Amino acid sequence: MATPEDRIHSLREELHTHNHQYYVLAAPLITDREYDHLLKELEELEAAHPELTDPNSPTRRVGGEPVEGFETIAHDVPMISLANSYDLEDIRAFDQRSLKLLGSTPYSYVVEPKVDGVAMSLRYEDGVLVRALTRGDGRSGDDITSNIRTISSIPLHLRIDTPPPVLEIRGEVYMNRDGFAKLNDQRESEGHAVFANPRNATAGSLKLLDSREVARRPLDAVWYGLGAMDGIEFETHSGLLEQLTKLGFKTPPSFWTCRDIEEVISALEENEQKRSEYPFEMDGAVVKIDQRHLYEEMGSTAKSPRWAMAYKYEPEQAETLLKDITIQVGRTGVLTPVAELEPVQVSGTTVSRATLHNWEEMERKDIRIGDTVVIEKAGEIIPAVVRVVKEKRPHGAAPLPTPTTCPACGSPVVKREGEVAWRCEHPGCPAKSQSWIRHFVGRRAMDIDHMGEEIVKTLLEEELIATPADLYRLHDSKSQLLEMERMGEKSVENLLQAIEDSKDRELWQLLHGLGIPMVGERTAQQLEDHFADLDELMQADRETLVVIPDIGEKMADAIRDYLAKETTRTLIQELREAGVNLKRKQEPVTATDTPLSGKTVVLTGTLEEMTRNEAKELLRKLGAIVTGSVSKKTDLVVAGPGAGSKRAKAESLGIEIWSEQDLLQALESGTSSEAEQRELF
Ligand code: IVH
């Protein structure tokens, strides 16, 4: 019989492994549910045996008691910064200096992305994470170990049999773009100030004194450097990156080893091309000498090493005229000022609108109608106004006054205590309904085609609909629909058919579409994994809800409050009567029993038989992890016509490439049932 102590140790080890598989390798071996089960067993055993607690137990990822402040601790090896360069001449000059310093000693370079996050140093003693320090002033930093432990991709133990007595690993903590956008959406709907960019969001999150709150922030990290060491050595930087991966760390998603400066220059260009593929904001590249034994010989200046150089890319910014400021009313009633811009090209797309977030933010940046503004668009993030070019401000430009009434319904607006947002709280506000319906019919919700902005607006104005449930009664108003502008027989039929088809969506799509406060797509999927139908969810108490990974107490209360409302109950009843699916259609996948489970798959090119979202959803159901960019970790690329660089990269890495037909065939002959296939296509 294993003792509780043995079981605790083996559970911890098992959970560390699954954590690594999921968060670092993006290749889970078990389902979330199985993981939760193991975690629960460990939690119970630890509660029964408090003498066996360990701050690095996987149970501690959720954070612990808040602290009053952070201790400042000296770095064993100072954390210095990098010299910056802005053009290729600077890079060539760097090579000339290296050549001068090293004479005839051969050397090569590594180029890697420069992550725009927060620098961090992790100290492992005998393989165990003992401390995480911020850079601080470079000589000493804040001990934020309890916050860092909550970042799931950071190993709490080195994955090595005989660990060195001391190893300090350095890198960058960041917030990925999707997570950042969701966090800001959530903050906006809760009336909190939004973060200006992912780096601020990361810094702000790491400063929180309550690590349980940090655990809820979508933080991640990459590691590329060393601090103090004892009992371990690394010969080259490229070798270090490889070793770090083996030790359990996430490293930069791509790097280039370059024999000479010309190769460095093409690597810098290739890296820039990947900008939008990276999950983090990249503010440049770093060029490093590969041979670590040369570092001492080359030395450092007071501020930066002579063996490395940062290269900054042009920021994705542009200047344009702010013609007007309009006010949007979101589905939760939050008023958002929106900049209407003279259209301008930024990193390949035309931008004509940008969010101004809220009035406080507008005041802070002193933004006025008629100003010339600098806008920025980075990756997927909505364009934002970075600053005003004050020199170009016309006479008499006035700031937009704080709102007193809702621009859509004229009701007085309110600002709740502790919030920055102004809201319209009128339940029947048409702008709120419009945002809500638009969200409900969206691709990632009930996916109803032919319901563009104009149609939704007209349907609301004509009072043909007020809530999502009314959509399912529209077939009774066919004659009114036919009277609407630009609505012929065919369009009406298409619209009604699209609505009819949406009755059969997945439960999570409905949950997402309802617009439950704080519940995004991912949380909706987690809810579906935990509840077989909407009725089960409606009966769930707080304790049941907080077991779900993304759900904290605040969100649990928001969900319960929403579901308890009379209007919600009526809405759900009406959806039920209309025949809308309220049930989970299939058991959550056991990610180990399908041919694609645990495989990392990239979709590229055009798909003909299904939409990209359908393909993603199908693959997700079959236990595959769908990612956006091809790397060594990709197992399979599904390439349709028009596939370009991703396909080429997969070929060069020797990754298996399938056509859409291959995928369909494999799915048919695989373990997934026919019924499942039919349901999904
Ligand atoms: S190497 C001796 N590599 O940028 C300094 N730094 O502006 C070694 N950074 O302090 C740093 N990505 O916080 C290095 N791939 C990368 C990086 C990187 C981001 C940060 C780091 C550094 C700052 C310098």
Side-chain angles (χ1 to χ4, degrees), residues 80-82 112-115 119 135 172 224 286 288 305 307:
I80 51 175
S81 195
L82 291 171
E112 62 197 23
K114 186 169 181 307
V115 185
R135 187 214 312 271
E172 203 85 357
Y224 45 70
V286 185
K288 298 171 182 173
W307 44 264

Side-chain angles (χ1 to χ4, degrees), residues 20-38:
H20 177 245
Q21 286 289 139
Y22 188 92
Y23 289 103
V24 181
L25 305 179
L29 299 173
I30 59 173
T31 60
D32 292 359
R33 204 175 268 195
E34 284 162 333
Y35 182 91
D36 292 344
H37 199 74
L38 294 173

Side-chain angles (χ1 to χ4, degrees), residues 10 134 142 145 163 200 204 225 285 287 306 361 370 373 407 441 470 477 512 566 612 618 668:
S10 83
T134 61
D142 285 342
T145 318
N200 288 5
V287 185
R306 290 202 186 85
E361 180 87 357
V373 290
V441 304
D470 297 332
S477 317
H512 183 216
E566 196 50 46
R612 194 168 276 251
L618 179 63
E668 267 161 34

Side-chain angles (χ1 to χ4, degrees), residues 281-565:
E281 288 289 285
M282 169 173 81
D283 62 341
V286 185
V287 185
K288 298 171 182 173
I289 299 269
D290 198 15
Q291 292 71 20
R292 293 185 45 88
H293 66 93
L294 300 176
Y295 291 5
E296 211 170 318
E297 193 176 330
M298 297 180 83
S300 303
T301 67
K303 283 198 222 127
S304 48
R306 290 202 186 85
W307 44 264
M309 181 112 205
Y311 175 75
K312 298 277 189 142
Y313 296 119
E314 285 294 316
E316 298 172 290
Q317 290 186 337
E319 245 183 62
T320 189
L321 183 70
L322 192 154
K323 295 190 298 191
D324 196 8
I325 300 176
T326 51
I327 300 172
Q328 255 180 17
V329 186
R331 74 190 139 89
T332 54
V334 169
L335 269 51
T336 305
V338 176
E340 304 292 341
L341 306 163
E342 186 62 45
V344 64
Q345 286 282 115
V346 196
S347 37
T349 56
T350 307
V351 173
S352 53
R353 305 181 92 194
T355 174
L356 296 168
H357 298 299
N358 55 56
W359 272 261
E360 238 172 58
E361 180 87 357
M362 255 195 311
E363 246 165 61
R364 201 171 56 72
K365 292 182 178 158
D366 188 18
I367 296 169
R368 304 183 189 182
I369 297 170
D371 269 336
T372 295
V373 290
V374 175
I375 60 156
E376 188 170 77
K377 182 167 184 292
E380 308 293 304
I381 302 171
I382 341 145
V385 173
V386 187
R387 63 184 171 83
V388 170
V389 185
K390 290 266 170 68
E391 307 81 71
K392 298 192 181 168
R393 171 168 289 169
H395 281 295
L400 187 74
T402 46
T404 49
T405 54
C406 169
C409 70
S411 318
V413 292
V414 294
K415 196 161 151 181
R416 295 186 194 159
E417 191 161 341
E419 296 192 345
V420 293
W422 290 94
R423 281 175 199 267
C424 166
E425 294 200 328
H426 175 39
C429 170
K432 268 160 76 171
S433 309
Q434 190 173 340
S435 300
W436 186 26
I437 305 273
R438 288 278 294 154
H439 172 78
F440 185 83
V441 304
R443 281 248 164 275
R444 305 300 293 155
M446 296 299 270
D447 193 12
I448 306 182
D449 269 345
H450 313 288
M451 289 276 306
E453 191 143 7
E454 281 309 308
I455 298 210
V456 173
K457 201 167 162 211
T458 318
L459 290 174
L460 283 161
E461 277 167 6
E462 301 284 324
E463 292 180 8
L464 288 172
I465 57 169
T467 76
D470 297 332
L471 293 173
Y472 298 98
R473 287 190 279 262
L474 271 180
H475 50 74
D476 295 335
S477 317
K478 213 166 163 183
S479 53
Q480 280 119 303
L481 289 175
L482 283 167
E483 279 164 25
M484 278 166 54
E485 232 174 278
R486 287 193 300 266
M487 287 292 271
E489 185 84 37
K490 189 80 198 138
S491 351
V492 170
E493 248 166 54
N494 286 342
L495 175 62
L496 292 175
Q497 188 58 46
I499 294 171
E500 184 63 26
D501 292 346
S502 76
K503 289 183 181 173
D504 196 29
R505 295 286 177 256
E506 300 290 328
L507 174 60
W508 70 263
Q509 292 180 279
L510 174 65
L511 293 175
H512 183 216
L514 287 176
I516 307 172
M518 301 172 77
V519 174
E521 184 182 328
R522 194 182 122 126
T523 311
Q525 288 172 351
Q526 292 183 353
L527 287 169
E528 181 188 279
D529 282 344
H530 278 74
F531 299 100
D533 57 40
L534 197 53
D535 295 309
E536 236 182 63
L537 172 63
M538 289 175 84
Q539 279 152 24
D541 55 17
R542 196 190 207 196
E543 286 63 43
T544 317
L545 285 165
V546 293
V547 170
I548 300 169
D550 274 6
I551 302 185
E553 284 177 7
K554 213 164 156 190
M555 201 195 286
D557 289 345
I559 296 172
R560 280 169 49 73
D561 288 350
Y562 173 83
L563 292 173
K565 280 202 298 197

